[in-house]
Amino acid sequence: MRKITILGSTGSIGESTLSVLEHAAALGEANFEVVALTANTNVEKLAAQARRVKPQFIAIADETLGDALKSAVRDLEVETGAGPAAVEEAASRNADWVMAAIVGAAGLKPTLKAAMRGADIALANKECLVCAGDVVKAAVKSAGGTLLPVDSEHNAIFQVFDFDQPNRVSRLILTASGGPFRSWTREAMAEATPAQAVAHPNWSMGAKISVDSATMMNKGLELIEAAHIFPIAPDQIEILVHPQSVIHSMVEYVDGSVLAQLGTPDMRTPIATTLAWPERTPSPSPRLDFAEVAKLTFEAPDIERFPALRLAREAINAGGVMPAALNAANEVAVASFLGGRIKFLDIASITEQVMDRTVGQNGPASLSTLEDAIAADLAARRLAEESVAAKAAA
Ligand code: NAD
Ligand code: MG
């Protein structure tokens, strides 16, 4: 019997995870018990999910919604909690496999709690690796769990990476769809609306990652994520635009062989991989129809139109608190764009301003503890808020 917790169960990844679990269970392939589910504000959806999978505990991050949650599940036998501490408690309960699918640095503390207890961590929440990768990896390792990458690119690489001979890997090729503005000019992007930015051509996802795909910061975050997960230097990680999102990423070896993982753009495939790893379990995702796909195309990314890619390289090269600063500034800027306070191109320029202001006399400060990460995240958020206010007033 597998004990499962889903942090961020009401989101796109959370819902896909439930779908994989229910599919496998209906086929008699999975024997699981849900320990805990968590959400930010969506009481109704969390209550509906509790009805579906009968968890022991459900937590809502918004403290003010505790009573609403209680009353929504008063006919069920489930414990409830509210506030960030309740989300951390959910993460601390005894699951063997925890899906980390909270969006943003808000997922860092709960993910760490689960890691420190030795659970296997299915990691969708890339921001927590970008913010505090060394801290998260050390926690997973010392408690004896395994970090299983859910992000489709990293999941692809995880499946074809020869961890026994990492020095025989010459290159990782992270594929990128290019997002909704792949062929837009900078002038057109300057006027892009939130609705246009979240309309991803291939993937159906939460709003924040959808905007990140439009700026291509998503691929920048994934570059930093990949450098944490795989034993390879950042300059051996290349980004390649592949608009069909069929090849989810590739590993090139020193003999010239390139191994890839392919599939339809449906997160239920990588989620199922992490759920069953090192075995396999069926997933309800649609199958690839190669004749229908017909053509796979590739192009180099355009750093001029998508400066977020340059910023991510700069952050990884600078090291220390810089990736955390990039991530926090981007989170603030994306939320401000979605809230109508700034324009689309401001997202990258605000992130760059914050990064410029994060370099101390001897480069960025170091980051080795959770406290360092939280301090770096908060400092960058404050700087980003200043930049947003200046842009909004201009
Ligand atoms: P989403 O916005 O659909 O869902 C986010 C979840 O986090 C929700 O359950 C929400 O209630 C919860 N949440 C938000 N803020 C919170 C807070 N402050 N405290 C506690 N809980 C909070 O996002 P998503 O698309 O499911 O993405 C989740 C994570 O997975 C992100 O880090 C994203 O980058 C990553 N990811 C998503 C996809 C995808 O296809 N959706 C693919 C790869 C990686
Ligand atoms: Mg991805």
Side-chain angles (χ1 to χ4, degrees):
M1 176 81 86
R2 205 91 198 275
K3 290 198 167 95
I4 285 173
T5 284
I6 306 173
L7 305 172
S9 64
T10 54
S12 164
I13 293 287
E15 188 56 38
S16 293
T17 305
L18 284 180
S19 155
V20 171
L21 285 171
E22 289 173 330
H23 180 78
L27 295 174
E29 294 260 2
N31 194 4
F32 69 89
E33 176 190 327
V34 177
V35 175
L37 300 177
T38 80
N40 192 24
T41 56
N42 196 337
V43 166
E44 232 169 80
K45 189 156 183 186
L46 185 58
Q49 290 181 336
R51 246 163 252 288
R52 271 160 71 187
V53 294
K54 313 270 180 290
Q56 296 167 10
F57 183 58
I58 53 178
I60 192 107
D62 185 331
E63 203 111 47
T64 65
L65 296 172
D67 289 340
L69 183 63
K70 238 184 226 148
S71 95
V73 294
R74 63 179 166 262
D75 57 318
L76 300 182
E77 258 180 57
V78 59
E79 291 171 69
T80 65
V87 174
E88 285 176 44
E89 192 201 325
S92 307
R93 295 214 172 180
N94 65 335
D96 324 306
W97 184 91
V98 175
M99 169 56 76
I102 291 174
V103 60
L108 176 57
K109 279 196 203 165
T111 304
L112 264 180
K113 286 272 186 217
M116 290 185 314
R117 235 192 356 82
D120 287 338
I121 306 294
L123 189 79
N125 178 210
K126 66 192 86 187
E127 294 93 343
C128 79
L129 268 198
V130 174
C131 176
D134 292 339
V135 180
V136 173
K137 283 188 300 178
V140 173
K141 198 169 171 201
S142 70
T146 304
L147 190 70
L148 301 163
V150 172
D151 211 349
S152 58
E153 297 74 6
H154 308 73
N155 185 272
I157 293 169
F158 188 75
Q159 294 191 49
V160 294
F161 193 99
D162 188 345
F163 287 93
D164 291 331
Q165 32 184 352
N167 57 340
R168 294 301 171 205
V169 171
S170 50
R171 207 161 44 127
L172 301 187
I173 302 166
L174 278 183
T175 52
S177 68
F181 304 153
R182 179 174 60 88
S183 52
W184 287 34
T185 62
R186 289 279 291 172
E187 292 68 36
M189 281 191 246
E191 301 308 323
T193 64
Q196 289 170 320
V198 300
H200 197 278
N202 304 343
W203 300 91
S204 152
M205 313 182 283
K208 195 264 176 178
I209 183 176
S210 296
V211 176
D212 284 346
S213 298
T215 58
M216 291 197 75
M217 182 57 91
N218 183 48
K219 216 47 56 176
L221 299 176
E222 289 182 356
L223 169 75
I224 301 171
E225 182 186 12
H228 275 298
I229 297 176
F230 304 105
I232 194 156
D235 62 3
Q236 288 172 279
I237 309 174
E238 211 172 282
I239 292 167
L240 177 68
V241 175
H242 164 46
Q244 296 80 22
S245 301
V246 166
I247 298 180
H248 296 309
S249 277
M250 302 183 258
V251 176
E252 181 194 79
Y253 289 88
V254 289
D255 59 7
S257 296
V258 178
L259 302 194
Q261 184 264 1
L262 288 70
T264 50
D266 187 317
M267 290 304 294
R268 291 174 298 182
T269 293
I271 291 167
T273 310
T274 63
L275 184 63
W277 185 87
E279 293 168 22
R280 297 269 178 189
T281 196
S283 112
S285 50
R287 304 295 111 143
L288 261 184
D289 180 338
F290 285 95
E292 193 185 316
V293 173
K295 235 194 228 166
L296 298 181
T297 63
F298 306 95
E299 58 200 54
D302 184 344
I303 309 284
E304 302 298 321
R305 283 186 304 128
F306 296 100
L309 295 171
R310 170 178 55 80
L311 297 179
R313 286 255 180 227
E314 287 174 8
I316 207 169
N317 291 337
V321 296
M322 197 57 91
L326 164 120
N327 178 65
N330 179 61
E331 282 191 34
V332 169
V334 168
S336 305
F337 169 69
L338 286 170
R341 294 180 67 204
I342 59 169
K343 299 191 114 182
F344 182 74
L345 295 180
D346 293 336
I347 300 172
S349 60
I350 287 171
T351 304
E352 184 157 21
Q353 281 171 7
V354 171
M355 288 172 68
D356 287 344
R357 292 174 69 189
T358 298
V359 189
Q361 260 175 345
N362 307 307
S366 67
L367 190 162
S368 43
T369 64
L370 173 63
E371 289 68 36
D372 294 343
I374 292 169
D377 179 80
L378 280 177
R381 275 172 205 273
R382 273 196 290 271
L383 294 175
E385 290 293 356
E386 285 175 24
S387 292
V388 167
K391 295 266 187 203

